[in-house]
Amino acid sequence: MRTLPALALAALLVGCDMAQPSTDVNQDRIFTEYELAYLGEEGVTRARTQFNFGGPNGTQLRLDGGAEVTFDGDRLGVVESIVNLLFYETESAGENLGGTFRYTDADGNTFVNEAALRPIGFPATLDPLDNDDPYELTWTGPAVGEDEQVGVTLFRIGTETELAVFAQRTEGATSIILTRTQLQNVQPGEVTLVLTRERTRDADEAPSVGGSVKETYQAPHQTVTVTD
């Protein structure tokens, strides 16, 4: 696993005043969020955790007093995102379909949670999208499972602007319909397709306030032409 160097971590911590030390709160009231994500476009697997007081929308916490979190034995480093959220994170090159999060709080209590990913991918060939017709995209990989969602998002190449978003939540489904209603709003030209499988569930082991585990697999992006 790759963690950020100590000097980089120190720089990222500047401005993290919003995060409260975890020893300031009741350890049994720390809500734990875990995420394992494979990002196919980047070719990396990311393990990430976040800690909040009282629930998922509570005060952000910075672990101290001997508290720590690891993934498959590797200690996660602290990272502040551009929206001022405090995460603990590590990345590894390539595809890692599963692993174990282990969180130990300041009182010495340990919570263990497994995360497992189910791959998804685009078909070998993609026909152009006609913005006046629906398009059925059949993915490679397992059907939609319990509490899972498969999503397709269209972006204009070179931008981060969403042009259309489609979701498939029906258990057992193996395809997703890109509806005519939304495709009509997409101007002709090349677009980027992002295909993601996602599942969020309750943590197996957590403080009494609870926790969650999110499992995300994002296929390498594909480019397709939209016609009219």
Side-chain angles (χ1 to χ4, degrees), residues 108-135:
N109 303 303
T110 296
F111 306 90
V112 178
N113 286 274
E114 304 289 334
L117 304 183
R118 302 198 322 145
I120 194 169
F122 288 99
T125 59
L126 282 172
D127 296 327
L129 305 180
D130 186 333
N131 65 7
D132 200 38
D133 287 311
Y135 182 91

Side-chain angles (χ1 to χ4, degrees), residues 31-35 55-56 101 111-116 146-148 198-215:
F31 188 88
T32 54
E33 296 183 54
Y34 307 94
E35 181 184 15
F101 289 96
F111 306 90
V112 178
N113 286 274
E114 304 289 334
E146 183 179 2
D147 298 325
E148 263 190 347
E198 189 174 280
R199 179 186 182 216
T200 301
R201 56 181 175 80
D202 291 337
D204 296 318
E205 295 186 6
S208 65
V209 74
S212 65
V213 177
K214 185 176 182 180
E215 298 155 334

Side-chain angles (χ1 to χ4, degrees), residues 118 120 139 141-150 168-174 197-200:
R118 302 198 322 145
I120 194 169
W139 61 78
V144 175
E146 183 179 2
D147 298 325
E148 263 190 347
Q149 172 179 300
V150 170
Q168 175 60 273
R169 301 180 180 89
T170 303
E171 190 172 347
T174 58
R197 182 194 297 275
E198 189 174 280
R199 179 186 182 216
T200 301

Side-chain angles (χ1 to χ4, degrees), residues 48-82:
R48 172 182 284 183
T49 63
Q50 185 178 10
F51 302 90
N52 297 82
F53 176 65
N57 299 315
T59 302
Q60 297 177 60
L61 297 175
R62 173 171 44 84
L63 300 183
D64 69 339
E68 68 170 11
V69 60
T70 64
F71 181 75
D72 282 349
D74 292 307
R75 189 171 182 177
L76 277 63
V78 65
V79 177
E80 185 186 13
S81 77
I82 58 174

